[in-house]
Amino acid sequence: MKAKMKSGLALLLFLFQPLALMAEQNWTLADCTRYAAEHNLQIQQARHSTESAEVDVKQSREALFPSLTFNTQQGVNFQKVEGQNIGSFDTNAKNPTYNGSYGLQANVTLYNGGANWRQLEQSKISQQASQLEAEMTSNNIQVRIIEAYYQILYAHESVATNLEIVAAAERELERAKARQQVGKVSQVEVTQMQSQLEQNRYQLVQAKNSEAQNILSLKQLLQLSPDADFGVDYQSFGSDDVLKLIPSVTEVEEMAMNNLPNLRAAELQVKSSEMQVKIAKGGYLPTVSLNAGVSTNNGNALSGGFGTQVKNHLTSQIGLSVSVPIYDRRQTRSQVDKAKIQLANQELEAENTRLELQNTLSTLHLDIEAAQARYRSAVASEESARQTLEIMDERYGVGLESMLDLLTEKNNYLKARQETLQSKFTALLNLEILDFYTGNNK
């Protein structure tokens, strides 16, 4: 009884685990990818395709065995039966007459050019390819989740930055109003400060909307309702995370080619097409089949009971049939030619897959290098802009600079901060995708 209660409790915990995770509101990237693997509709559809391929394997395997069929026919015949005297009827004849027949037939293909065996091998190859294609679908969804997740992190940090900017702008406006009261600042400058504050507030609203929109996109990938209670585990990143060393392009390609299923799936499709050519060529060869059967019948016009009738009328047969193709109006030749064309297309598709994968990895590698260089430059520019703004603020405080000059330097500093933020998360996103492609995130 205790064991059953523990099992039931474990089942309930498993079923309500997603709900508990949502309530905690601290979804990590790993939480999102795990949840999507079980709930994303596209991933589930890909699994169904794999299950269908498994059914094809079972069907191809069973095709090697004999078929067995039972058939029966029951009939009643209503007919007048004439006696020996013309114009009279034999009153002793059975009318109506009843009869039944029963048969059991077995058939097995002994040889058909190896088509059945090759179809079994082809279905196994297709099953493996289907599994890899399902993995590709899952990978595509995971990359989209990574992109959405890092967009949320970027938007969240952008919100935090804009909150600081708004708070600083409010303090500057209060300072300007205080200086206006003592005659050190004109109404025009106060109005400029007020306009700057409103612009900063609008940018804050945009940042919040961007974060909300990215959260909604991530919910859609996780198949969560738009109003589901959901939050992200906002982690912080330092310069070491952004500027970490990455392998060479050659090393990246080697690791990704071994980790990703794309090229292996394409190669399996080539093997499947090669097998299809062999299956088509089997149409040139004879087909040898063995068949056997047993049949009997009964009826009310026969003597004896049912068991006796069935036993006395039992017949059996066995036969061997050979079919040799002589001329099939080019059907087999056409099938072979089409199979060869399909094979050539699959070989081109495999090569195209390899080239596209190489191009994607090379581009990603270049993007990371560019983003890291951009980040280094942005950090330096931000520090320079910050120092310039501090100097300008001090000079403005003693009346050596105008409000316009101060606002100009402030905008330059805000642009520098935004550039640092964008380059930072561009690099982090590409690094995360690179780790996923190479398998270093496992």
Side-chain angles (χ1 to χ4, degrees):
M1 183 65 180
K2 291 183 178 180
K4 291 183 178 180
M5 292 179 63
K6 290 181 178 179
S7 300
L9 179 60
L11 179 59
L12 288 174
L13 290 175
F14 174 78
L15 292 175
F16 288 99
Q17 184 178 7
L19 298 177
L21 183 60
M22 291 171 60
E24 291 174 3
Q25 298 185 11
N26 58 345
W27 289 57
T28 64
L29 179 58
D31 293 332
C32 293
T33 53
R34 281 195 299 267
Y35 188 87
E38 297 298 327
H39 297 83
N40 183 270
L41 299 183
Q42 295 181 41
I43 294 177
Q44 292 183 46
Q45 288 176 333
R47 288 202 189 100
H48 290 164
S49 297
T50 300
E51 293 172 359
S52 178
E54 293 173 356
V55 173
D56 292 337
V57 172
K58 295 178 181 178
Q59 176 62 42
S60 298
R61 185 179 292 112
E62 293 297 321
L64 300 174
F65 295 93
S67 63
L68 185 63
T69 305
F70 171 77
N71 59 78
T72 182
Q73 182 175 355
Q74 309 293 321
V76 179
N77 185 25
F78 297 89
Q79 182 178 0
K80 290 184 177 181
V81 181
E82 295 187 6
Q84 293 181 352
N85 297 325
I86 298 176
S88 65
F89 293 91
D90 186 356
T91 58
N92 294 323
K94 297 293 184 181
N95 188 22
T97 59
Y98 160 78
N99 59 80
S101 62
Y102 313 90
L104 194 63
Q105 297 289 328
N107 185 281
V108 61
T109 300
L110 300 178
Y111 178 76
N112 62 347
N116 285 350
W117 286 101
R118 285 170 178 154
Q119 285 174 350
L120 175 59
E121 291 302 314
Q122 185 185 45
S123 62
K124 290 180 179 179
I125 294 172
S126 298
Q127 179 193 13
Q128 295 172 12
S130 178
Q131 291 174 341
L132 292 176
E133 289 169 357
E135 186 179 344
M136 289 168 57
T137 300
S138 177
N139 286 349
N140 292 336
I141 295 299
Q142 290 189 58
V143 169
R144 290 174 61 187
I145 288 174
I146 291 172
E147 292 172 345
Y149 194 89
Y150 273 87
Q151 287 292 338
I152 293 172
L153 296 181
Y154 164 69
H156 181 74
E157 194 158 330
S158 181
V159 169
T161 300
N162 280 279
L163 282 171
E164 295 177 9
I165 292 171
V166 169
E170 290 173 343
R171 290 193 299 269
E172 290 173 358
L173 178 61
E174 293 301 321
R175 185 177 65 167
K177 289 180 178 179
R179 296 186 67 191
Q180 182 191 20
Q181 293 177 356
V182 296
K184 292 185 177 181
V185 172
S186 67
Q187 180 61 40
V188 174
E189 291 178 322
V190 173
T191 302
Q192 290 176 335
M193 280 288 188
Q194 182 68 49
S195 176
Q196 182 67 40
L197 174 60
E198 295 303 323
Q199 290 180 13
N200 296 148
R201 286 173 174 170
Y202 176 68
Q203 291 170 352
L204 174 60
V205 171
Q206 285 184 314
K208 289 182 177 180
N209 287 343
S210 177
E211 182 180 13
Q213 184 62 47
N214 287 314
I215 289 177
L216 180 61
S217 298
L218 183 56
K219 284 181 178 180
Q220 291 174 344
L221 291 171
L222 300 177
Q223 311 302 153
L224 297 175
S225 63
D227 58 348
D229 191 9
F230 178 86
V232 171
D233 183 15
Y234 297 106
Q235 57 188 115
S236 59
F237 300 93
S239 295
D240 292 341
D241 298 312
V242 180
L243 300 175
K244 74 175 184 178
L245 296 176
I246 59 175
S248 66
V249 177
T250 303
E251 292 173 327
V252 167
E253 288 182 1
E254 182 179 356
M255 289 186 290
M257 292 291 186
N258 293 329
N259 180 58
L260 296 176
N262 305 52
L263 188 57
R264 285 176 287 154
E267 291 172 345
L268 284 175
Q269 292 294 351
V270 172
K271 290 183 178 180
S272 178
S273 295
E274 290 173 344
M275 192 63 65
Q276 185 60 41
V277 172
K278 295 179 181 179
I279 293 172
K281 287 182 177 180
Y284 292 125
L285 302 175
T287 299
V288 181
S289 301
L290 177 67
N291 58 82
V294 60
S295 62
T296 186
N297 64 289
N298 74 306
N300 61 356
L302 303 176
S303 60
F306 176 81
T308 302
Q309 292 179 10
V310 169
K311 181 179 178 181
N312 292 341
H313 295 84
L314 191 65
T315 60
S316 59
Q317 60 87 21
I318 186 170
L320 185 70
S321 64
V322 179
S323 175
V324 181
I326 298 176
Y327 177 70
D328 63 355
R329 292 171 295 182
R330 208 184 185 279
Q331 292 183 8
T332 301
R333 179 64 181 273
S334 297
Q335 291 174 355
V336 172
D337 290 344
K338 288 183 178 180
K340 288 181 178 179
I341 293 172
Q342 180 65 19
L343 172 59
N345 283 334
Q346 289 298 335
E347 289 174 341
L348 293 175
E349 183 65 27
E351 179 63 16
N352 186 59
T353 298
R354 184 183 66 82
L355 293 175
E356 285 185 349
L357 194 54
Q358 285 181 334
N359 182 67
T360 298
L361 296 171
S362 298
T363 302
L364 181 61
H365 197 277
L366 290 173
D367 289 343
I368 292 174
E369 291 179 335
Q372 289 178 333
R374 179 186 172 192
Y375 175 75
R376 294 188 188 95
S377 176
V379 170
S381 298
E382 180 185 348
E383 178 60 22
S384 176
R386 184 188 64 79
Q387 294 177 4
T388 302
L389 179 61
E390 289 179 355
I391 295 173
M392 182 63 67
D393 187 64
E394 292 176 0
R395 291 174 61 85
Y396 171 76
V398 295
L400 297 178
E401 299 290 347
S402 67
M403 175 66 68
L404 180 60
D405 293 332
L406 178 62
L407 291 178
T408 300
E409 291 303 326
K410 179 183 177 182
N411 287 332
N412 290 338
Y413 174 64
L414 296 181
K415 291 178 181 178
R417 286 195 66 175
Q418 191 65 25
E419 175 68 12
T420 301
L421 201 59
Q422 288 180 350
S423 59
K424 172 184 176 180
F425 279 95
T426 299
L428 288 171
L429 170 60
N430 289 332
L431 285 168
E432 186 69 39
I433 294 176
L434 181 66
D435 287 341
F436 176 77
Y437 284 163
T438 57
N440 291 329
N441 65 331
K442 297 178 181 179

